[in-house]
Amino acid sequence: MKRLHFKPTLEPGLKAIVRLAQLHQYATDLVDGERVLIGPALRGRMLLNFPAREPRDVLDSLLGEGPAGWNLSGHEDGRSLLVVSTEGSGVAFSAIARILEQVAPEAFLKPIAFEPLPGNTLTAISRSLH
């Protein structure tokens, strides 16, 4: 997976925003090298999607090791849009798509605005697509 820098803006709905925020919290809160708390909405979603697996194992496989590489924020104009911004060394777009598929599939029901961000991983091919 190639790590890239990009900023998708989505409209996933309030419940999905809560689950994504809980996932980000889980991804960034480490105690003694271990992720600790899973929010109730996120735990419920993982149990619904993967009833035979431990939610922590599912989330760890979605997130991988190391820093998340992305952050969440609201949109500047105050609408109910969520912006996912890459940070640090970036993240593969496929990883974000997989997270959305499992945690917030509602995000795919409405158009997603994708904005590539300048960085050392932006190739000539990706620049030519936008």
Side-chain angles (χ1 to χ4, degrees), residues 50-73:
F50 305 95
R53 292 187 61 195
E54 172 64 35
R56 184 176 309 278
D57 295 337
V58 174
L59 294 175
D60 288 346
S61 69
L62 277 175
L63 294 169
E65 293 184 18
W70 52 275
N71 202 356
L72 300 174
S73 62

Side-chain angles (χ1 to χ4, degrees), residues 12 96-98 100-102 104-112:
I96 295 297
R98 192 169 50 122
L100 291 175
E101 178 184 27
Q102 299 303 325
E106 307 94 315
F108 293 115
L109 296 176
K110 296 196 177 181
I112 297 174

Side-chain angles (χ1 to χ4, degrees), residues 12-33:
L14 184 58
K15 290 181 182 180
I17 288 173
V18 168
R19 291 191 304 268
L20 286 167
Q22 289 177 350
L23 177 66
H24 190 264
Q25 186 74 34
Y26 176 76
T28 56
D29 282 352
L30 296 173
V31 173
D32 296 330

Side-chain angles (χ1 to χ4, degrees), residues 67-85:
W70 52 275
N71 202 356
L72 300 174
S73 62
H75 195 266
E76 300 100 29
D77 67 5
R79 293 185 293 163
S80 61
L81 299 174
L82 183 69
V83 179
V84 179
S85 300

